[in-house]
Amino acid sequence: MDKLKRLSECVAAGDAESAAALAAEMLGSGADPQEVLDGGLIAGMNAVGGRFKAREIFLPDVLMASKAMQAALAVLQPRLAAGGGTPRGTVVLGTVRGDLHDIGKNLVGIMLRGAGYRVVDLGKDVPPERFVEAARAEGARVIGCSALLTTTMGVMRRVVELARAAGLPVKVIVGGAPVTADFASAIGADGYGYDAGHAVERVEALAGDR
Amino acid sequence: MRPTVRFLDDALIGRIVDEARGLLEKLGVEVQDPGLLDVLGEHGARVERGTSRAFLPGALLDRALATAPRAFRLFDVLGDPTHDFTGSKVHFTPGSSALNVLDWPAQTVRRPVTADYAACAKVVQGLPHIAAQSTAFVPADVPDAIADAYRLYLSLMLGEKPVVTGAFTAEGFPLMHELLAIARGGTGDLRAKPLAVFSACPTSPFKWSRDTARNVVDCARAGVPVEFIAMPMAGFLSPVTLTGTVVQHTAETLSGIVLHQCAAPGAPFLYGGSPGVFDIRYETTPMGAIETMMIDAAYNEVGKSFGFPTQAYTALSDAKRLDAQAGLETGMGAALAVLAGINSVSGPGMMDFENCVSLEKLVVDHEICGMALRLGRGIEPREDFPALPRFEELLREEHLLISPHTRKYLKSEIAFPGPVIDRASRARWAEEGSGTLGDRAHAEVERLIGQWTPSRLADDLKGALTERMAAAAKAAGADALPPLP
């Protein structure tokens, strides 16, 4: 079987040990690390994403695949850095100011990493300015804001305003239990994710990756 | 600890059984078959020819109880074991013998035809929490004389699960037995590996019709399991008190066991029933009444006091549509049946006082059955002690989503219903079309029919079944069998 296909299957199956070993073997035999990343790891995660969307597998399966991808990525990373290769781009993520609920945000971060994005997690109780500063500093393509409270979701509007005012080429996606698509639209956000899987889909769409 | 529910204490069960024994001895039962009265007489019953009554002394009853088996198993058409009727193991079966089917597009009831029956068989095959097929309704497109056997024929041709069925007449049993033997490869193999359970319903109060009595005896002699379905009706044809109705149910069921064991000692059976309360306002017998469910659980306790495997008609509803009442009554019945440890539960898919089957309701009920079965597994420690390492892991990893412990126990600890039961966020639900329960159920019915694969029963056996059924149809006046969908 084609080694890239085998690697993608190891990732999809959440077999971290085999994924890392196979990635090392492929590099050892002269494979292009970017090709290994794209054709093995990302391909595996894309397959997982498709099955997740089709409800054939669930969050833990995606996380296991993500873990396998990270294990293989750790093998590739030195060569990728040397060759300038990077994952799919950076997403700045955080729970907005006044809100200490971060479970949903953490899930989104895990899923985004699993989908191949670099995630800069600002944590919880994050001021609006901090989102924009981090986006500028990290060269982020997407800012993700999370809130669990109706009293804090309004902070998201300020994040959008500051991002627009800064003139950054960054999209803002919002989510969290009280947040709706209508609210996202009303505050001028570029996207809305109703759960972690959906958030990844929206990020991919906003970042032009799908 | 298996969760359980009890309605009767041991002393009350003892008193109920004693009273039932007294009724059988003093009032006896009517058996509308002279030959079977003779059989009972030969075994020690006092027979009164003029009233066709047999009075069953305690000694006769005790002999029957002594020979009655306390467990048996069922096997699918391929010969693989599916049902273990022991202890508190619960198996769900669709409701049986409805006259109508709920036509989903029209939302009306109509007489079912072969295509409806085939659709039902295909759906049942795809439902893992439904352990058996039932001859769910009576196809109207074949002569009445062969309708009972024709249902069984369709089940044996289209499904692989064992079949809960019944003969409409005494004359109906031989053909049905023949079909079962063909599918199994012989009467001896059929006896060794039962493929069907036949319902046998006494008429309340204390009466065995000729057809039902003959079915009991014929099944016993053929080694085909029966389920005794006594149907006392509280407040009408049995005492209004639940205890009084259970006494009557006990007497009627024990009389069936006596007849059965006299015919063939050791023949297998389920201690079952379909009692109900009588709703004087509508002159109906609501199967979804909580009191009906309580009587079911109570007679199950009586049956288990003897050590017998049990059966009940519950986990069904009297609703006319797939509405909240349908879910409420079915859910209550399923949960109580599991807690009571009723071994064979007939009901999913059924509505309208056992008169109607809905395939859409069946797939909803299937998910209810899955949740109820989870309920029955209770709460047990599963590598939960000592607790410290798990919580250290939680604090370290910030979640346990992919903890080895989670991966090991996720699917056994948490039952995930779906796709009919809705657990999506509102946004996701909206994105997926804002469907109702009925919409999802109908889609699931169509999906299951679409993914059905033909039964793996050998082609030569299918051919033999069809040949025999076609001959019976011809003898009954039909030119040919309806085409098999």
Side-chain angles (χ1 to χ4, degrees):
Chain A
M1 185 191 291
D2 174 66
K3 286 186 178 176
L4 280 175
K5 186 165 169 36
R6 266 175 53 205
L7 180 58
S8 72
E9 288 177 358
C10 287
V11 169
D15 185 348
E17 196 176 327
S18 299
L22 189 54
E25 181 188 323
M26 292 172 76
L27 288 184
S29 52
D32 175 7
Q34 190 66 46
E35 194 180 329
V36 175
L37 175 66
D38 293 340
L41 307 192
I42 301 292
M45 286 308 299
N46 283 341
V48 166
R51 294 188 65 202
F52 179 73
K53 188 168 168 49
R55 299 196 200 179
E56 294 169 7
I57 58 172
F58 304 99
L59 194 58
D61 305 301
V62 178
L63 299 184
M64 288 299 292
S66 170
K67 203 168 180 177
M69 176 174 174
Q70 296 301 329
L73 194 57
V75 175
L76 298 184
Q77 208 77 57
R79 300 281 296 278
L80 283 171
T86 62
R88 303 172 78 180
T90 299
V91 179
V92 165
L93 206 58
T95 303
V96 298
R97 185 175 61 202
D99 202 323
L100 301 178
H101 300 89
D102 63 355
I103 295 173
K105 180 265 296 174
N106 291 345
L107 282 177
V108 172
I110 291 167
M111 295 286 283
L112 283 170
R113 287 190 186 94
Y117 288 91
R118 174 172 168 262
V119 174
V120 177
D121 189 344
L122 304 177
K124 51 202 173 191
D125 194 20
V126 179
E129 298 78 8
R130 179 81 186 98
F131 282 98
V132 180
E133 289 163 10
R136 179 185 288 117
E138 303 288 346
R141 301 164 75 182
V142 177
I143 291 173
C145 301
S146 174
L148 187 79
L149 307 173
T150 54
T151 53
T152 60
M153 57 195 275
V155 177
M156 294 171 167
R157 182 190 298 274
R158 185 63 181 149
V159 175
V160 174
E161 290 169 355
L162 290 175
R164 302 286 183 261
L168 296 175
V170 67
K171 307 287 188 183
V172 180
I173 180 172
V174 297
V179 178
T180 64
D182 287 344
F183 172 79
S185 177
I187 66 171
D190 300 293
Y192 156 71
Y194 56 69
D195 63 20
H198 188 236
V200 173
E201 283 178 32
R202 300 310 304 149
V203 165
E204 287 174 330
L206 290 173
D209 292 332
R210 82 166 43 212
Chain B
M1 182 195 85
R2 188 193 191 283
T4 189
V5 62
R6 289 286 303 265
F7 289 94
L8 311 176
D9 62 28
D10 291 345
L12 182 52
I13 291 173
R15 183 69 190 271
I16 286 169
V17 172
D18 286 347
E19 295 291 334
R21 294 171 69 103
L23 295 178
L24 291 176
E25 189 155 4
K26 294 185 174 61
L27 299 181
V29 288
E30 184 178 340
V31 180
Q32 297 176 333
D33 185 289
L36 297 183
L37 279 173
D38 288 344
V39 170
L40 289 170
E42 288 162 11
H43 284 80
R46 181 171 66 82
V47 172
E48 194 176 85
R49 295 280 168 194
T51 58
S52 298
R53 298 193 80 80
F55 300 86
L56 310 179
L60 171 56
L61 177 57
D62 287 338
R63 284 199 298 279
L65 294 175
T67 60
R70 266 56 182 179
F72 69 94
R73 302 208 297 176
L74 288 182
F75 300 79
D76 65 17
V77 297
L78 306 175
D80 295 323
T82 56
H83 290 61
D84 180 9
F85 289 126
T86 56
S88 297
K89 292 173 184 157
V90 178
H91 310 79
F92 284 101
T93 299
S96 186
S97 295
L99 290 174
N100 296 317
V101 63
L102 179 65
D103 184 298
W104 189 257
Q107 286 295 305
T108 56
V109 296
R110 60 173 170 75
R111 294 295 306 278
V113 293
T114 297
D116 299 304
Y117 197 97
C120 184
K122 292 175 179 179
V123 168
V124 168
Q125 195 59 32
L127 301 176
H129 304 310
I130 304 293
Q133 305 184 71
S134 74
T135 40
F137 33 59
V138 186
D141 52 350
V142 295
D144 289 345
I146 57 162
D148 50 4
Y150 182 63
R151 303 175 306 166
L152 179 62
Y153 161 74
L154 291 176
S155 290
L156 295 174
M157 291 292 288
L158 297 169
E160 294 183 355
K161 297 177 182 180
V163 191
V164 174
T165 186
F168 295 160
T169 62
E171 289 69 30
F173 177 76
L175 175 57
M176 296 178 77
H177 180 231
E178 202 175 332
L179 293 174
L180 289 167
I182 290 170
R184 184 56 90 223
T187 54
D189 289 343
L190 179 63
R191 185 183 289 271
K193 289 188 169 183
L195 175 54
V197 176
F198 276 58
S199 297
C201 313
T203 306
S204 286
F206 310 118
K207 189 184 298 178
W208 288 90
S209 70
R210 171 188 170 273
D211 287 325
T212 307
R214 292 248 36 123
N215 283 163
V216 168
V217 169
D218 290 345
C219 283
R221 290 173 176 161
V224 172
V226 300
E227 54 183 26
F228 293 108
I229 309 292
M231 299 183 285
M233 198 181 300
F236 183 9
L237 294 173
S238 68
V240 72
T241 53
L242 307 193
T243 299
T245 292
V246 175
V247 170
Q248 181 172 325
H249 177 280
T250 304
E252 290 176 345
T253 306
L254 290 179
S255 70
I257 292 171
V258 168
L259 182 60
H260 191 245
Q261 295 300 303
C262 283
F269 65 85
L270 293 170
Y271 190 100
S274 186
V277 295
F278 185 67
D279 193 316
I280 54 170
R281 301 166 304 166
Y282 300 101
E283 299 169 24
T284 54
T285 53
M287 303 307 297
I290 193 68
E291 298 86 355
T292 296
M293 300 175 198
M294 294 165 72
I295 297 167
D296 288 334
Y299 80 66
N300 162 76
E301 290 174 43
V302 174
K304 287 199 179 301
S305 75
F306 294 112
F308 297 143
T310 56
Q311 183 276 352
Y313 268 88
T314 188
L316 41 64
S317 171
D318 304 314
K320 312 303 179 289
R321 291 202 173 189
L322 186 51
D323 56 14
Q325 181 183 343
L328 166 75
E329 293 173 346
T330 303
M332 282 198 303
L336 268 176
V338 166
L339 292 175
I342 296 171
N343 299 105
S344 181
V345 181
S346 296
M350 191 158 252
M351 54 206 310
D352 193 8
F353 309 99
E354 301 183 351
N355 283 320
C356 180
V357 161
S358 157
L359 300 190
E360 283 70 19
K361 181 175 185 295
L362 179 59
V363 298
V364 175
D365 295 354
H366 167 255
E367 296 188 11
I368 292 173
C369 294
M371 289 188 273
L373 290 169
R374 171 64 191 93
L375 175 70
R377 294 202 301 274
I379 297 175
E380 297 286 348
R382 293 182 169 94
E383 297 183 53
D384 287 299
F385 308 131
L388 185 61
R390 192 83 54 240
F391 292 92
E392 287 175 335
E393 181 187 5
L394 173 58
L395 295 180
R396 183 177 65 248
E397 301 292 333
E398 298 186 332
H399 64 80
L400 294 174
L401 281 165
I402 56 172
S403 158
H405 185 256
T406 304
R407 284 155 51 207
K408 184 172 181 181
Y409 292 109
L410 176 69
K411 289 181 180 171
S412 59
E413 279 291 280
I414 303 174
F416 294 102
V420 179
I421 297 292
D422 171 30
R423 288 187 177 175
S425 65
R426 173 168 284 277
R428 182 164 172 171
W429 168 78
E431 186 184 83
E432 292 174 354
S434 306
T436 64
L437 179 88
D439 295 335
R440 291 189 297 278
H442 186 58
E444 179 65 357
V445 166
E446 295 199 322
R447 187 188 71 80
L448 289 168
I449 291 171
Q451 75 159 32
W452 173 83
T453 55
S455 162
R456 291 169 289 171
L457 183 68
D459 287 342
D460 61 326
L461 298 179
K462 287 181 182 172
L465 284 169
T466 300
E467 191 178 332
R468 182 65 189 91
M469 195 66 236
K474 195 169 181 185
D479 291 336
L481 294 172
L484 196 62

